[in-house]
Amino acid sequence: MYFKRKIDEFLIQWKQDSAHKPLIIKGARQIGKTESIVHFANEQYANVIYINFVLERKYTGIVNDGYDVETVLKNISLIDPSKKFVPGETIIIFDEIQEYPDVVTTLKAFRIDGRYDVICSGSMLGINYKKIHSNSVGNKTDYEMFSMDFEEFLWAKGYREEQIADILQHMKDMKPFSEIELNVYKSLFMDYCVLGGMPDVVKGYIETGTFSNSLEIQEQIRFDYEEDVRKYAEGLDQAKIIRVYRSIPAQLAKENKKFQFSKIEKNARSREYAGCIEWLKDAGVITECNCLTYPELPLKGNVDESKYKLYYSDTGLLVSSLDEEAQEDLRVNKNLGVYKGALYENFVAEAFVKQGLGLFYYKKENSTLEEDFFVRSKNELIPVEVKSNSNSSKSLAMLIKNENYSDISHGIKLGDFNIGCSNDIYTFPYFCAFLVKEFLKEWD
């Protein structure tokens, strides 16, 4: 069973561009990179050469005699004579290149040669990316892939583009969903929050119609992430990286969600954990939400680097990190207490990252004024509040009404309610978060 992914269309467009360069696809492990690349290759090319540098260590040496195309292909053929290279019909896939980053040095030669298409990928590519980039600058195209978003989950469930376009149209028209629409999409959204977007987890759910074994798969993925720390985190305190990763759920459950090293171990200082957060971000397993120094445009450059929130890159993995009953508790909306708000906030952060939106929040010192996220249109800064209850949105109203925040005229509130608008605050159900970027295109 192959799930349609957003990378599919990108890969087609890449191939159709007559001037396309070798492609590097990066992202966390087990998000479906290899499956999507191989599916595309088999559909679009008569001849596919696939090399995995983790599983086939014998190929870690193919550039030892030189980086030119003829030498590299000769060495591959020496190792496996069955591999044939047909000009104009062949794609070469170098997978898990973090195990052999020197192969990227050949990309310039392949680009100039032009007879063969090349795609490189790797589960831990971000860790070695500085070296890889320096070896191939100007000779590659980059693409960052994530686990399945809610739209891809809907595709997997059989929903069509027209139905997703209809959700967006409801948002643009400010037209409330019918009771059946609201109930169906809310139920699907809850399933997605529990499962997350890891393809193996979603596949089991689609095939069986149940959540059986999903927790076991998610726990194994989290275990594999920690094993990657032990394998790839050179020159850093591996135990501290793992402690940071494990502490995120509890830190999100705090009323003040700002990440604090002192919550990991008493008297801990940020300098003692230097590089740990960057390593986890580069590995694609966490995302960082930056605190604005003041709620105004521009967003980038208006950041207090000492304050930030951390999220899991996949909300399903966050749910699985809680106790074994958390999945069912989330689905029936009980027993989660402060974690419920943290989970929904993590979902919105995940949805924003997957749309290419930056993550920013604001917390005014010595004040209750705080806002979960900020996005922007062409001319306006828009605060976004994630509500896990029906309480009023005092901070959102204050930001809109106070003349000191001149870039803010409207706000967005995401929660367990229908579409509506009141006092310049647009309200949407949680499940609409994956369409916020499209909605903002017509904001101005």
Side-chain angles (χ1 to χ4, degrees), residues 156-167:
K157 287 285 291 181
Y159 288 84
R160 304 182 303 278
E161 297 282 1
E162 311 90 81
Q163 292 165 305
I164 293 166
D166 184 63
I167 298 175

Side-chain angles (χ1 to χ4, degrees), residues 63-335:
V63 302
N64 288 353
D65 301 320
Y67 298 110
D68 61 286
V69 173
E70 292 299 336
T71 298
V72 173
L73 300 191
K74 175 185 175 183
N75 283 338
I76 293 174
S77 297
L78 282 171
I79 295 168
D80 183 356
S82 70
K83 285 181 165 52
K84 307 298 181 184
F85 299 91
V86 183
E89 298 180 9
T90 300
I91 184 168
I92 303 169
I93 302 167
F94 294 124
D95 203 0
E96 302 293 3
I97 63 170
Q98 77 279 353
E99 294 290 328
Y100 190 50
D102 283 350
V103 76
V104 179
T105 311
T106 68
L107 296 188
K108 180 177 181 180
F110 275 105
R111 181 184 65 81
I112 294 171
D113 182 278
R115 291 176 295 164
Y116 311 99
D117 288 348
V118 179
I119 296 180
C120 299
S121 185
S123 296
M124 298 296 295
L125 191 50
I127 303 305
N128 289 323
Y129 197 68
K130 290 182 177 64
K131 179 179 179 181
I132 289 169
H133 178 73
S134 65
N135 287 349
S136 57
V137 62
N139 298 294
K140 62 178 175 57
T141 298
D142 293 320
Y143 184 93
E144 186 169 9
M145 189 174 174
F146 303 97
S147 63
M148 299 170 72
D149 68 6
F150 187 53
E151 183 172 8
E152 291 171 315
F153 177 76
L154 291 176
W155 292 343
K157 287 285 291 181
Y159 288 84
R160 304 182 303 278
E161 297 282 1
E162 311 90 81
Q163 292 165 305
I164 293 166
D166 184 63
I167 298 175
L168 179 60
Q169 198 59 50
H170 272 272
M171 297 171 69
K172 291 178 178 179
D173 296 341
M174 296 308 297
K175 177 185 175 183
F177 294 101
S178 68
E179 184 177 356
I180 188 169
E181 287 173 324
L182 198 62
N183 289 338
V184 167
Y185 288 128
K186 281 171 63 176
S187 177
L188 288 164
F189 167 75
M190 294 307 299
D191 287 354
Y192 174 73
C193 281
V194 169
L195 294 162
M198 293 297 180
D200 283 349
V201 179
V202 176
K203 188 173 295 185
Y205 163 79
I206 297 294
E207 290 175 347
T208 66
T210 70
F211 292 85
S212 61
N213 297 323
S214 62
L215 186 60
E216 289 82 356
I217 298 172
Q218 290 166 325
E219 288 176 340
Q220 183 61 50
I221 292 171
R222 294 196 341 267
F223 175 79
D224 289 343
Y225 284 170
E226 294 188 7
E227 284 299 299
D228 285 337
V229 173
R230 298 181 179 97
K231 183 176 181 180
Y232 294 107
E234 300 175 358
L236 292 171
D237 190 323
Q238 298 172 357
K240 287 182 176 176
I241 296 176
I242 293 172
R243 281 201 290 269
V244 169
Y245 181 65
R246 290 179 179 176
S247 77
I248 291 173
Q251 301 241 17
L252 288 175
K254 300 192 281 77
E255 184 175 349
N256 175 15
K257 295 180 173 62
K258 184 185 79 168
F259 189 83
Q260 297 171 283
F261 290 105
S262 61
K263 300 297 181 182
I264 302 176
E265 58 179 326
K266 191 176 181 180
N267 300 321
R269 297 290 182 267
S270 59
R271 64 177 179 272
E272 298 169 6
Y273 283 82
C276 294
I277 290 174
E278 287 301 316
W279 195 96
L280 290 166
K281 285 164 54 182
D282 287 343
V285 301
I286 67 168
T287 56
E288 181 179 273
C289 183
N290 300 115
C291 184
L292 297 175
T293 56
Y294 193 78
E296 64 182 0
L297 295 173
L299 289 170
K300 293 181 179 178
N302 178 24
V303 167
D304 182 346
E305 295 184 354
S306 68
K307 299 175 184 176
Y308 46 85
K309 297 184 288 187
L310 300 180
Y311 298 99
Y312 274 20
S313 57
D314 185 272
T315 303
L317 296 184
L318 178 63
V319 176
S320 73
S321 72
L322 309 179
D323 59 66
E324 292 186 6
E325 289 73 33
Q327 287 191 341
E328 183 59 27
D329 287 346
L330 180 60
R331 295 196 73 242
V332 298
N333 199 26
K334 70 174 186 179
N335 296 337

